[in-house]
Amino acid sequence: MILISGTFLAQLIPILLQPFLRRIFTPREFGYFAIYTTIVGVLISLANLKYESAIVIAKKNTTANDLLKGGIIISFFFSILILIMMILFKENWINFFQIPKATQVMFWLIPLSVFVLSSYQCMNFWFIRKKRFKTSSVNKLIRRSSEGIGQLFLGFLKKGGANKALSSNGLIVGGIIGEVSNFIFGFWQCKKYELNWAKFNLSKIKEALKTYKEFPIFNAIPSFLNTFSLMFPVIIVSSLFGEETTGQFDLSRVVLALPLALISVSVSQVYLQKISEKINRKEKILKEYKKMFFILASLSVPGAILGYFICEPIFVVFFGDNWETAIKITQILIFSYAIKFIVSPLSVSIIALEKLRWSALWQFSYFVLIIGLFFLNGKSIEEFFIIYACLDVIIYLIYFIITTYLILSYDKTISK
């Protein structure tokens, strides 16, 4: 409840600012912001090779401590590699995303965003391990409030006609302000909660990374593919329909992802910590799994039905009259997001059970299906999103079946 309430307050800030920001910045500017956050989001999933998940399930605090530091070191070198790749292939990515000159300078900050966000992921899993849920919630508030203040301030500069180059990119700049603030406070709080940053034993860090080598082998690439699959539709929409439609799609994603951000992600972190403890004690977890499923389903199904009917008046009142396409997209995708709301938190059971190969197989399959959306060139916007929604529903139902099967199999071994 602490995580959910903290996340709710953190997400409430940008939501309350959306009616203002959507009237200040154009759909095209939101489109570029969506492209930036999509690229960063995809790269983060690979930045620390998924060692952050091992921090929660590590049997010793000293091992978890070494995993955290190892994850941050890997994130640093990964971000340097990204910067080198951007320099070497400058013309390619600028032309592919059709980034205007005034916005290109912001995209050079992608490696910074990747480092601070992926490093904070490691810190956040340390907080979850230590059951410092309040700390995790406070950090979310810090990030979103500093991000929102930065975006709103630059938005007012834009309306006043001051510093056009900076203010027109206010969405990206504000986002970076929030990310850096989050990193700084997370760094300080880790030190407060039993983490000694000054003490680096590289041999122990290497040993911890080697112990949990299954995470980069069977979880990093599949997780990258899964995140890619979740976020790459933004790039596909940009390629097929242009930045204007991408901005419309971005608003739809913001609204639909709200329940996932407010409840689903927070629940999954607590659920992972809880069943990890049960597995370490060799206890059954099916009862916990069922309870979580019914809680999520009772929220998701009625919410999706209600949302379908009320999203049009809500969009018009809060965001203005320029977002008609976003309304149609939201009504099409709302039920696929309802399935994600239920399945995503439950799927962390696979991490706790360390059955990462199953997750890898599913994530690769999802990746292949999403890439197939590129071949829908010539379809209308409505047809494109209907096909996308159907693919999401099918693949997440399969994920649910796999997760349930693995939990039933585990509980059978405990009963023997």
Side-chain angles (χ1 to χ4, degrees), residues 349-377:
S349 306
I350 298 175
I351 294 173
L353 292 168
E354 298 186 45
K355 299 291 185 182
L356 303 178
R357 298 186 188 193
W358 283 94
S359 181
L361 178 63
W362 178 84
Q363 287 166 345
F364 180 75
S365 303
Y366 189 28
F367 168 76
V368 172
L369 287 174
I370 291 299
I371 289 296
L373 293 175
F374 255 127
F375 299 100
L376 296 180
N377 194 10

Side-chain angles (χ1 to χ4, degrees), residues 109-313:
L109 295 173
I110 285 174
L112 173 64
S113 292
V114 171
F115 173 69
V116 295
L117 286 174
S118 60
S119 296
Y120 179 74
Q121 279 185 342
C122 295
M123 300 176 202
N124 189 56
F125 273 92
W126 174 261
F127 299 142
I128 300 302
R129 177 185 178 85
K130 305 299 287 184
K131 299 182 182 179
R132 300 289 180 178
F133 304 123
K134 185 178 179 181
T135 300
S136 182
S137 297
V138 168
N139 284 342
K140 290 174 184 176
L141 280 168
I142 290 168
R143 178 185 173 185
R144 293 305 177 187
S145 58
S146 55
E147 173 187 284
I149 291 168
Q151 289 177 336
L152 194 61
F153 175 74
L154 292 167
F156 286 133
L157 283 182
K158 183 188 177 205
K159 290 207 81 173
N163 204 334
K164 190 174 181 182
L166 180 64
S167 59
S168 62
N169 295 301
L171 293 169
I172 296 175
V173 176
I176 293 168
I177 291 170
E179 294 160 5
V180 173
S181 301
N182 194 42
F183 173 82
I184 292 170
F185 278 90
F187 188 90
W188 173 73
Q189 286 162 337
C190 276
K191 186 177 179 180
K192 184 180 176 183
Y193 297 123
E194 304 172 34
L195 195 66
N196 186 354
W197 288 111
K199 194 174 180 180
F200 264 81
N201 189 323
L202 286 176
S203 60
K204 286 187 176 181
I205 290 173
K206 287 178 184 177
E207 186 181 337
L209 296 177
K210 188 177 179 182
T211 301
Y212 290 91
K213 63 180 183 294
E214 279 206 351
F215 281 83
I217 294 172
F218 297 112
N219 200 19
I221 296 297
S223 179
F224 167 77
L225 295 178
N226 182 44
T227 306
F228 184 96
S229 304
L230 289 171
M231 306 191 79
F232 202 66
V234 171
I235 307 300
I236 298 174
V237 170
S238 175
S239 176
L240 297 181
F241 303 107
E243 289 75 21
E244 185 84 19
T245 303
T246 306
Q248 299 278 348
F249 179 39
D250 175 65
L251 176 57
S252 178
R253 287 170 66 243
V254 167
V255 173
L256 289 172
L258 182 61
L260 285 168
L262 292 181
I263 301 172
S264 189
V265 173
S266 299
V267 164
S268 71
Q269 291 173 344
V270 178
Y271 174 69
L272 173 61
Q273 188 271 335
K274 206 168 198 177
I275 64 170
S276 293
E277 282 188 346
K278 284 184 173 289
I279 290 169
N280 286 335
R281 294 196 299 263
K282 302 199 180 301
E283 296 175 3
K284 293 185 178 183
I285 59 172
L286 181 61
K287 185 178 178 182
E288 204 72 45
Y289 178 76
K290 283 182 177 178
K291 184 167 70 173
M292 188 59 64
F293 168 77
F294 286 115
I295 290 171
L296 293 168
S298 64
L299 293 170
S300 177
V301 176
I305 295 170
L306 179 64
Y308 179 86
F309 291 104
I310 68 170
C311 75
E312 184 172 357

Side-chain angles (χ1 to χ4, degrees), residues 33-53:
F33 179 54
I35 293 170
Y36 183 94
T37 54
T38 296
I39 295 170
V40 171
V42 169
L43 292 173
I44 285 170
S45 64
L46 195 58
N48 48 39
L49 302 182
K50 298 310 291 179
Y51 275 114
E52 77 272 16
S53 299

